[in-house]
Amino acid sequence: MRVLGVDPGLTRCGVGVVEGVPGRPLTMLGVGVVRTPPDAELGDRLVAVEQGIEQWLDEHRPEFVAVERVFSQHNVRTVMGTAQASAVAMLCAARRGIPVALHTPSEVKAAVTGTGRADKAQVGAMVTRLLRLAAPPRPADAADALALAICHIWRAPAQNRLQQAVARSRPRQAVAPHTAHATKGRTT
Amino acid sequence: MRVLGVDPGLTRCGVGVVEGVPGRPLTMLGVGVVRTPPDAELGDRLVAVEQGIEQWLDEHRPEFVAVERVFSQHNVRTVMGTAQASAVAMLCAARRGIPVALHTPSEVKAAVTGTGRADKAQVGAMVTRLLRLAAPPRPADAADALALAICHIWRAPAQNRLQQAVARSRPRQAVAPHTAHATKGRTT
């Protein structure tokens, strides 16, 4: 199973690709950060994030994309940018038909360190050990992206069984936008 | 000046196109709502919003896109979806090189009703009057999208002068994603 983990952000969007199955050693295929300049227009930054994510999808062809679930109780100033960058990552994956999974920060920490309250250093240390790296990936966003991918590989079997059960009970439909139109003089 | 106003949302994304200049009667060219099913996967919903916005851009070729600025102090349950839908709208516009403007709900209400604390009914009534419609656009998201477009037409001259002044002092650069890559064994 090949997973692209995305730690969403506008200034630094962590990306990491891990391949493996539960119970076997994991392999890191790539890690990095997509950056956009804080002083650029918001729309242009979103386009740059899209281009960066597309490059990673082109290069690594992941079967799953795991994105950190954004909560609004975080820092008010940064949460909007995080939500917007995560939307772009989910959009890029879904456009290609790649399943998108969301994992909360506590789920990711618990998966790789055994505790949902681990700090950045613990997460970085465990990612380094699990992927047999020479040193912790920098910046922390890159390590977090790898942790997301690892979390998904380990949790996916249970999640997939659940999704399959849901799919059996309710056939999934393709989503097309339903647009109501009106022209001048008429109102919908 | 032709403006597409977008009242972002995942379940209902209001869209409205208005043409005009400050001080002259305005013309509505179209109004509607892009809807996505609440029980669909988030990634698929974002793709559907993207397709809907693209259709509106294709059909009406606006020169500006005005999007409601999302604040995180709103309802925690809906604010993430709103931020994500607004990201998709901004992305679609910026990809085409269409300038994106953000206006707060109070700016929009103040522009069309004279007070930043107007309710939905007042906004709907003023939009109906300003665009000489037979009845207020429904649902409220559609009326809000038209109000955003009107607000942009009336406020744009001042905003554009400001943007031009900023542009003169700091040449704007195209934003390309800066991606740090690393392969297995190396860390960035």
Side-chain angles (χ1 to χ4, degrees), chain A residues 80-170:
Chain A
M80 287 296 115
T82 309
Q84 289 160 340
S86 79
V88 172
M90 287 187 276
L91 178 70
C92 291
R95 258 191 326 226
R96 294 178 184 228
I98 303 173
V100 178
L102 300 172
H103 298 286
T104 66
S106 339
E107 281 169 356
V108 175
K109 289 174 187 172
V112 301
T113 72
T115 167
R117 291 191 302 271
D119 62 17
K120 294 238 172 250
Q122 284 174 277
V123 172
M126 281 307 297
V127 164
T128 308
R129 186 178 307 172
L130 292 166
L131 299 174
R132 289 153 289 133
L133 307 177
R138 301 259 181 257
D141 314 80
D144 286 347
L146 292 171
L148 268 156
I150 295 170
C151 169
H152 186 69
I153 289 171
W154 287 350
R155 291 178 61 103
Q159 281 206 342
N160 291 348
R161 280 196 299 276
L162 180 66
Q163 283 180 349
Q164 282 162 1
V166 171
R168 274 195 301 274
S169 71
R170 173 174 59 89

Side-chain angles (χ1 to χ4, degrees), chain A:
Chain A
M1 181 189 303
R2 182 178 294 190
V3 180
L4 170 67
V6 179
D7 183 31
L10 276 180
T11 304
R12 287 186 311 275
C13 184
V15 278
V17 184
V18 178
E19 192 161 58
V21 292
R24 303 283 296 276
L26 302 164
T27 307
M28 180 181 88
L29 300 177
V31 65
V33 177
V34 177
R35 296 174 194 271
T36 75
D39 57 348
E41 296 277 346
L42 181 50
D44 295 336
R45 299 182 76 184
L46 295 170
V47 172
V49 170
E50 181 185 43
Q51 289 171 348
I53 298 287
E54 289 287 342
Q55 283 171 12
W56 279 80
L57 293 173
D58 282 342
E59 187 171 346
H60 292 284
R61 306 270 161 199
E63 295 149 86
F64 297 91
V65 172
V67 181
E68 186 176 298
R69 190 185 288 278
V70 182
F71 287 109
S72 57
Q73 51 263 46
H74 287 169
N75 183 308
V76 168
R77 276 205 161 268
T78 60
V79 76
M80 287 296 115
T82 309
Q84 289 160 340
S86 79
V88 172
M90 287 187 276
L91 178 70
C92 291
R95 258 191 326 226
R96 294 178 184 228
I98 303 173
V100 178
L102 300 172
H103 298 286
T104 66
S106 339
E107 281 169 356
V108 175
K109 289 174 187 172
V112 301
T113 72
T115 167
R117 291 191 302 271
D119 62 17
K120 294 238 172 250
Q122 284 174 277
V123 172
M126 281 307 297
V127 164
T128 308
R129 186 178 307 172
L130 292 166
L131 299 174
R132 289 153 289 133
L133 307 177
R138 301 259 181 257
D141 314 80
D144 286 347
L146 292 171
L148 268 156
I150 295 170
C151 169
H152 186 69
I153 289 171
W154 287 350
R155 291 178 61 103
Q159 281 206 342
N160 291 348
R161 280 196 299 276
L162 180 66
Q163 283 180 349
Q164 282 162 1
V166 171
R168 274 195 301 274
S169 71
R170 173 174 59 89
R172 180 173 163 211
Q173 299 160 326
V175 180
H178 171 87
T179 310
H181 275 257
T183 47
K184 172 135 179 57
R186 287 171 45 224
T187 57
T188 41

